[in-house]
Amino acid sequence: MKHILFFTFFLFSFSCFSQDYYGNSRERWLQKAEMYKPELTITEKKPLNIVEILPDDKAFQKFEARKLSPADALYTLPFREKKQVIIDFGEHITGYFSFSVRTTGRAADGPLRLKFTFGEVAAEVAANFNDYKGSLSRAWLQDETVTVMHAPQTITLPRRLSFRYVKIELLGCSPQYDFNIYDLCCKAQTSAQNVPAGLPENVSPMIREIDRVGLNTLKECMQTVFEDGPKRDQRLWIGDLYLQSLGNIFSYQQYDLTKRCLYLLAAMSHTNGYLHATVIEKPTPRAQEGQFLFEYALLFNVCLKDYLEATGDVETASELWPVAKRQLDIIRTYVLSNGLMDFEKLGKEWWIFFDWKENLHKEVAVQGFSIFALKESYKLAQWLGKENEVADLPGLFAKMSHAARKNFYDKKSGLFVGITNKQISCASQIWMILSGVASPGEGRKALSALDSTPEVCQPGTPYLYHYYIQSLIDCNMHRKAKEALTDYWGGMLNKGADTFWEVYNPGNDFISPYNFYPINSYCHAWSCTPVYFIRKYTEVFQ
Ligand code: RAM
């Protein structure tokens, strides 16, 4: 009996997993991805200043960098007595760091041990990394110990780094000789090559600055894929790609990079045809196994549609259409006969994200997002003349929209609220608006009601904030959209950002989804979207 059961199970697994949903397309997709891999532009960056990083209650994360002297003062400084120095490169850079060491008089009679700590923000180099209890690999933190066996010598650290500040500490040396550390250099790299158009002269200084830092953020994340963050996770995530692609359409316009990412994701999908949320490029491209994120799988479709709209590249979109079409089955699997998504079941089988925000109840957002994804996918089908292959969609999103109104809309308050939890969240209103379930008038009412409702679950990251701004625009709340963008991204600027962050809560500088704020990414893809808003909706933002 046991044997029969095992055999049946074996046969079942075989039929489920051994057949590839996409037949033999993967190899071609991977080849295409390789074909569109961009060249990296390398620029040598030199440090600007020696700084001190001091506690300051008013500064971001309570640390402030203050200039002491120009960086080359380091190069003649006998380091044995100095023991520690912090260098400021003056801007966020991503690349390979090198330094040289020479003795000041007597020959070196023993090795040196130096520790380098790299930080995207000042507090990161002041933080204590010992007793790390964060939820991600400790190794993301950028501290490196180097033993210098001979002097003079030039050393390049093997790891690619992302930083503005470097702290250098002397851990070990001989009492017999002194030395200088000099020629600090970073070979900075990016695949962003094009120069985006300048903004008109009458644009306000704040909007101009937000745009500049947004462009910088996007540029730093543009490597051989659109990375989520050049410090962490250094890889392609579909949700980040979707927003970067929007930014790219209105700035660098390097569509081959988007194309490469789309092919790479398709090639790395599961044999069942569903997309993995994230792909790692090195040493050879592979998906992060088991990482299935509901919205991200479907955002592939939206990203492909936007790409097609921007480029007219029907060939790519047609080749990847089967992937987009397959993702729709995710929604079909969970939609109940009453038109609502089976939120509970979906949550057991997929990662439902929407935001890094503890306690966010995602029931309404799931429904809204699903409708949005179906509608956008249908537009893609229309562009490609494939409506007949997804002829069920218009009926499906109409039914789901009806169910959403019936079950979630509280006419009295004008807010959308879930059935299983009465939490009032920004996310729920946003996704009811972006899905078109709420009319612009109802959307305006809902978004305005949020301002006067106590205990609203607010966005936790620029990721959800992006969709918030979009929903304000879609409801014609243009003044409010500009205010919100200026307050939020301008808030980061006022706290010293030279690239925009993964997580930002105006009231709490120390918040981290990973239980350790220095491991947050301070140059993060999903935070670049002011570039898209400012350049697309010129009448609203310029
Ligand atoms: C973060 C990643 C990425 C995001 C996922 C869901 O860990 O950095 O930006 O897409 O979360």
Side-chain angles (χ1 to χ4, degrees):
M1 183 63 183
K2 243 184 179 174
H3 285 299
I4 298 174
L5 268 181
F6 175 74
F7 187 62
T8 323
F9 173 70
F10 179 74
L11 267 187
F12 174 74
S13 346
F14 190 80
S15 60
C16 277
F17 302 117
S18 71
Q19 272 175 13
D20 190 340
Y21 188 87
Y22 300 118
N24 48 15
S25 309
R26 278 171 206 279
E27 217 168 293
R28 200 179 58 249
W29 292 343
L30 195 55
Q31 273 168 12
K32 287 261 174 96
E34 283 312 292
M35 209 159 112
Y36 295 106
K37 193 174 189 167
E39 289 289 322
L40 295 171
T41 305
I42 312 289
T43 317
E44 284 203 358
K45 300 279 182 181
K46 303 281 184 185
L48 277 192
N49 295 311
I50 298 180
V51 294
E52 55 183 348
I53 291 185
L54 298 170
D56 179 342
D57 269 353
K58 284 191 280 320
F60 177 58
Q61 297 177 339
K62 297 198 189 301
F63 278 98
E64 177 86 327
R66 283 191 213 136
K67 177 178 168 180
L68 290 176
S69 55
D72 31 0
L74 171 72
Y75 299 169
T76 48
L77 191 81
F79 204 79
R80 202 177 66 198
E81 296 301 313
K82 182 73 186 155
K83 288 198 170 48
Q84 179 181 316
V85 73
I86 301 175
I87 303 292
D88 178 6
F89 273 71
E91 62 181 318
H92 188 282
I93 45 188
T94 298
Y96 290 89
F97 173 82
S98 62
F99 65 98
S100 298
V101 171
R102 65 183 164 215
T103 54
T104 52
R106 291 194 198 167
D109 71 329
L112 296 167
R113 179 158 292 173
L114 298 167
K115 183 172 166 191
F116 294 82
T117 306
F118 298 85
E120 295 184 302
V121 291
E124 212 174 329
V125 292
N128 181 358
F129 294 173
N130 302 328
D131 308 323
Y132 172 74
K133 289 192 184 62
S135 56
L136 301 177
S137 166
R138 156 70 175 82
W140 284 120
L141 298 171
Q142 303 183 108
D143 55 337
E144 300 292 316
T145 300
V146 180
T147 303
V148 183
M149 292 306 293
H150 316 285
Q153 195 180 164
T154 298
I155 293 180
T156 301
L157 300 190
R159 158 183 193 177
R160 200 195 76 189
L161 294 146
S162 233
F163 65 98
R164 172 173 169 172
Y165 301 101
V166 196
K167 178 166 74 184
I168 310 174
E169 292 166 277
L170 179 59
L171 301 185
C173 65
S174 152
Q176 297 297 329
Y177 73 98
D178 210 333
F179 63 98
N180 305 138
I181 299 175
Y182 69 107
D183 238 359
L184 304 190
C185 178
C186 181
K187 288 210 163 88
Q189 61 176 59
T190 171
S191 60
Q193 270 179 349
N194 296 345
V195 181
L199 298 179
E201 262 173 34
N202 57 344
V203 167
S204 78
M206 181 51 119
I207 291 289
R208 189 177 293 285
E209 198 51 12
I210 293 177
D211 179 73
R212 184 186 69 77
V213 172
L215 286 175
N216 219 15
T217 307
L218 181 55
K219 177 202 87 191
E220 289 288 275
C221 294
M222 286 168 74
Q223 299 293 330
T224 43
V225 291
F226 278 110
E227 292 183 4
D228 60 336
K231 179 179 92 176
R232 204 217 80 238
D233 307 323
Q234 305 188 6
R235 63 178 185 249
L236 175 60
W237 283 85
I238 305 174
D240 300 80
L241 167 67
Y242 167 56
L243 298 186
Q244 285 167 302
S245 151
L246 286 178
N248 181 49
I249 291 170
F250 290 91
S251 56
Y252 297 102
Q253 303 185 326
Q254 290 181 215
Y255 298 115
D256 281 359
L257 187 59
T258 314
K259 189 183 332 194
R260 165 170 165 75
C261 293
L262 291 166
Y263 274 116
L264 208 48
L265 287 161
M268 295 298 136
S269 59
H270 192 275
T271 49
N272 67 13
Y274 291 148
L275 289 159
H276 288 97
T278 174
V279 162
I280 299 156
E281 280 179 284
K282 286 181 182 147
T284 51
R286 68 213 146 92
Q288 184 179 345
E289 273 170 56
Q291 190 68 280
F292 294 105
L293 195 158
F294 167 64
E295 308 99 90
Y296 281 17
L298 285 144
L299 282 176
F300 177 91
N301 297 13
V302 192
C303 186
L304 185 61
K305 187 219 88 186
D306 290 343
Y307 168 81
L308 174 61
E309 212 173 319
T311 60
D313 180 358
V314 176
E315 192 190 318
T316 299
S318 306
E319 208 180 349
L320 295 176
W321 165 247
V323 182
K325 197 169 131 187
R326 172 61 172 156
Q327 306 315 304
L328 299 170
D329 291 338
I330 307 170
I331 298 180
R332 292 195 188 98
T333 305
Y334 296 96
V335 69
L336 298 166
S337 56
N338 65 2
L340 287 183
M341 287 291 279
D342 190 339
F343 170 61
E344 216 172 290
K345 186 156 182 255
L346 178 73
K348 284 191 188 128
E349 294 166 9
W350 286 77
W351 175 14
I352 305 174
F353 176 61
F354 287 106
D355 195 12
W356 284 122
K357 180 82 184 181
E358 254 177 82
N359 303 329
L360 170 63
H361 181 63
K362 302 168 181 172
E363 180 187 7
V364 179
V366 159
Q367 185 76 12
F369 175 82
S370 303
I371 298 165
F372 165 82
L374 291 176
K375 286 184 172 173
E376 292 290 295
S377 304
Y378 194 67
K379 283 186 209 156
L380 172 63
Q382 285 176 313
W383 266 88
L384 294 171
K386 310 257 187 203
E387 301 96 300
N388 58 331
E389 293 181 31
V390 286
D392 63 321
L393 294 195
L396 187 57
F397 56 67
K399 182 176 174 183
M400 291 176 74
S401 301
H402 181 74
R405 288 191 74 82
K406 194 170 146 210
N407 291 281
F408 301 143
Y409 193 42
D410 175 1
K411 279 214 182 85
K412 216 170 124 217
S413 65
L415 290 160
F416 291 85
V417 190
I419 305 169
T420 55
N421 181 314
K422 294 294 163 201
Q423 178 189 73
I424 292 168
S425 74
C426 218
S428 299
Q429 319 313 313
I430 291 170
W431 282 108
M432 286 291 105
I433 293 165
L434 298 182
S435 61
V437 169
S439 69
E442 288 164 344
R444 271 199 294 281
K445 200 173 158 202
L447 292 175
S448 310
L450 287 178
D451 293 340
S452 52
T453 308
E455 291 185 34
V456 170
C457 183
Q458 299 289 351
T461 62
Y463 180 67
L464 185 57
Y465 224 84
H466 163 87
Y467 297 103
Y468 175 56
I469 304 280
Q470 186 72 65
S471 63
L472 287 168
I473 296 170
D474 289 5
C475 292
N476 294 318
M477 296 172 81
H478 291 176
R479 207 162 45 98
K480 177 112 178 158
K482 187 173 182 183
E483 256 170 42
L485 182 130
T486 311
D487 284 356
Y488 193 71
W489 277 273
M492 286 188 243
L493 277 186
N494 291 338
K495 292 185 179 189
D498 22 50
T499 47
F500 289 127
W501 309 329
E502 175 183 22
V503 180
Y504 176 51
N505 176 334
N508 181 356
D509 289 351
F510 300 96
I511 208 151
S512 169
Y514 319 107
N515 205 24
F516 192 64
Y517 68 88
I519 212 164
N520 289 3
S521 157
Y522 294 94
C523 173
H524 210 70
W526 68 27
S527 217
C528 77
T529 60
V531 166
Y532 154 77
F533 288 122
I534 293 169
R535 288 161 181 267
K536 175 168 181 184
Y537 300 101
T538 50
E539 72 291 0
V540 181
F541 296 100
Q542 293 193 12

